[in-house]
Amino acid sequence: MNIAIAGGGIGGLTLALALHQRGISCTVYEAASQLRPLGVGVNLLPHSVKELTELGLQEALAATAIETASLTYYNKFGQTIWSEPRGVAAGYPVPQYSIHRGELHMILLDAVLRRLGPERVVLGHQLTGFVNGGQKVQAKFTRLLDSSAVTIEADALVAADGIHSAARKQMWPDEGAPRYGQRVLWRAITEGEPFGDGRSMFMAGHPDVKFVAYPISRKLAEQGRSRINWIAELSVPGETPSRTDWNREVDPSVFAGPFQSWKWDWIDIPALIRGASAVYEFPLVDRDPLPHWRQGRVTLLGDAAHPMYPIGSNGASQAILDVRALADALAGKGHLDAALDAYEAERLPKTANIVLLNRQNGPEQVMAIAEQRAPQGFAHIHDVMPREELEGIAARYKQVAGFTKDQVRKP
């Protein structure tokens, strides 16, 4: 069996490691001509850390990432709505990690190059489409070096080529642009003094005005400093912003105004915004769940299959869970077509539920409810939301997303 993987991001590289571990040959084709540690922060929930640990990456993650110990939700006045331990501190058998996306990418790339060999990562090849032909698939690429067309034949093609997936577009040509959630995110990293215990993640405000922050560097933490990943989010009605404007660098004055009074005894958010060297703008987008991911010997994975709002820290984690399901199916099923069907049957319904739940703000709905019921603040959150209600919202999301303690402990 020989598998072609389109996309050398988190999902594609993790899949290469998982297939190699199971004795399945694969090659990764990536559009970029060079893979560099780009981006901002990402959270890895315990169920995905479990999978990466089984791929032998625990030591590298622990040396780089912050082991997240708690998550707290606040209202726009800095009053606590809900707080809970996370990862090992919550009794999980593995940690929750916060890490620079680029550093995670390099950990995965280094492992692929060492284990599979550099010839198994082909750069500068952008997927443009595919042709199914019986027991094989022809994957069509443009080689960016000279704009020439390249055709690769494989037993199956896994399209892990992101929210603008060429394979998905061929399967569903009338789908159109990603669905805009009427909100815009501004993402950046600021180096400074740690807040809380240096292992805390927080979200403040409500869906129309929200701020998220968490530390992502163990190296700086060991020096008594903190590399803080943060996201500012505002409601911005209108049409989907042009794709050419996604991830553009902007001046903080574009969005900083609503956060100017958010200075509390444990953090100064305006100072955090001012301290960033660069801020990038990104629309809140997803896509509607699909009826199926497979067409012949082609299937989708990660953001190509189920792009979702970055709520509940689930995007990268769900791609890693896709990997486990697909790799196990390919290793365990006698027929490749049956394996692709089994993977889709396992993962499509689960990820569709998360996409739809994230549109309702997932576990972050506690902030929306607190704002709705107590827009001027509260003396105590339980005057506004009973503890049972708060616990229920948190527990339901963990169950749907697959990371209750029982789910993670399950072999």
Side-chain angles (χ1 to χ4, degrees):
M1 190 186 303
N2 179 45
I3 308 298
I5 303 170
I10 291 172
L13 293 175
T14 305
L15 179 61
L17 293 173
L19 294 177
H20 176 73
Q21 187 182 64
R22 291 158 177 78
I24 299 172
S25 177
C26 63
T27 303
V28 178
Y29 298 89
E30 163 59 35
S33 58
Q34 181 182 4
L35 291 178
R36 296 179 289 131
L38 303 175
V40 286
V42 63
N43 270 282
L44 297 174
L45 297 174
H47 51 4
S48 64
V49 173
K50 174 186 175 182
E51 303 303 340
L52 295 175
T53 297
E54 293 186 2
L55 290 172
L57 301 174
Q58 164 70 8
E59 185 177 342
L61 291 172
T64 306
I66 290 289
E67 186 175 317
T68 308
S70 66
L71 167 63
T72 303
Y73 298 98
Y74 299 92
N75 67 5
K76 62 192 177 188
F77 304 109
Q79 297 172 311
T80 302
I81 299 170
W82 172 250
S83 186
E84 62 180 29
R86 282 294 178 117
V88 173
Y92 284 86
V94 290
Q96 175 173 324
Y97 282 127
S98 298
I99 187 171
H100 191 289
R101 180 179 289 271
E103 291 179 340
L104 171 61
H105 199 187
M106 292 303 102
I107 288 171
L108 294 169
L109 178 62
D110 178 66
V112 170
L113 294 177
R114 284 187 290 104
R115 298 178 194 180
L116 280 71
E119 71 279 5
R120 293 297 181 174
V121 179
V122 180
L123 301 179
H125 281 60
Q126 184 168 20
L127 183 70
T128 57
F130 60 86
V131 177
N132 273 300
Q135 302 301 304
K136 298 286 184 178
V137 61
Q138 291 184 334
K140 304 291 186 178
F141 296 89
T142 295
R143 185 167 57 199
L144 300 186
L145 179 65
D146 55 11
S147 298
S148 62
V150 176
T151 299
I152 304 295
E153 187 172 81
D155 295 300
L157 168 66
V158 180
D161 54 339
I163 192 170
H164 302 293
S165 169
R168 179 170 176 144
K169 185 175 182 180
Q170 180 172 330
M171 291 180 187
W172 303 95
D174 298 326
E175 184 178 30
R179 180 182 179 276
Y180 177 46
Q182 306 297 299
R183 288 182 271 172
V184 172
L185 315 176
W186 291 271
R187 306 187 294 194
I189 294 172
T190 299
E191 184 176 327
E193 296 296 319
F195 62 85
D197 61 0
R199 298 167 57 201
S200 303
M201 177 179 181
F202 79 87
M203 302 185 186
H206 53 87
D208 291 336
V209 186
K210 184 173 74 176
F211 196 88
V212 179
Y214 51 89
I216 58 172
S217 172
R218 177 172 178 175
K219 181 179 179 180
L220 258 68
E222 290 173 346
Q223 300 170 8
R225 299 283 288 169
S226 185
R227 178 179 294 160
I228 301 169
N229 178 81
W230 57 261
I231 304 163
E233 182 176 329
L234 296 176
S235 175
V236 182
E239 299 297 319
T240 306
S242 169
R243 181 178 170 184
T244 59
D245 290 335
W246 292 25
N247 272 337
R248 65 175 178 174
E249 187 173 348
V250 301
D251 190 272
S253 62
V254 171
F255 64 89
F259 302 99
Q260 288 309 301
S261 63
W262 290 26
K263 302 176 185 179
W264 306 314
D265 56 1
W266 54 277
I267 197 163
D268 183 337
I269 288 177
L272 202 59
I273 293 173
R274 290 193 302 271
S277 58
V279 180
Y280 298 94
E281 185 176 270
F282 193 85
L284 185 76
V285 293
D286 68 1
R287 289 187 183 276
D288 290 332
L290 293 173
H292 61 79
W293 296 344
R294 179 189 168 208
Q295 190 174 104
R297 288 292 179 88
V298 182
T299 194
L300 308 175
L301 183 143
D303 279 349
H306 48 73
M308 58 186 64
Y309 293 168
I311 287 171
S313 306
N314 247 296
S317 292
Q318 291 302 320
I320 293 168
L321 296 189
D322 289 350
V323 164
R324 176 55 180 257
L326 179 55
D328 280 354
L330 291 171
K333 298 291 180 182
H335 194 280
L336 197 152
D337 293 314
L340 296 178
D341 284 341
Y343 157 66
E344 181 178 300
E346 167 70 15
R347 292 297 298 155
L348 192 154
K350 292 178 179 179
T351 55
N353 285 339
I354 300 171
V355 169
L356 299 178
L357 190 55
N358 279 7
R359 289 181 182 177
Q360 302 170 29
N361 292 309
E364 297 171 24
Q365 63 184 279
V366 296
M367 297 191 292
I369 295 171
E371 171 67 14
Q372 181 183 26
R373 296 179 186 174
Q376 302 307 315
F378 44 77
H380 194 284
I381 184 57
H382 293 162
D383 298 332
V384 179
M385 297 182 69
R387 182 175 184 85
E388 294 77 12
E389 183 179 13
L390 292 161
E391 289 177 341
I393 291 170
R396 282 192 297 274
Y397 190 78
K398 291 184 179 74
Q399 182 71 40
V400 171
F403 70 105
T404 66
K405 286 193 279 285
D406 286 345
Q407 288 169 320
V408 175
R409 291 190 183 112
K410 185 178 179 181

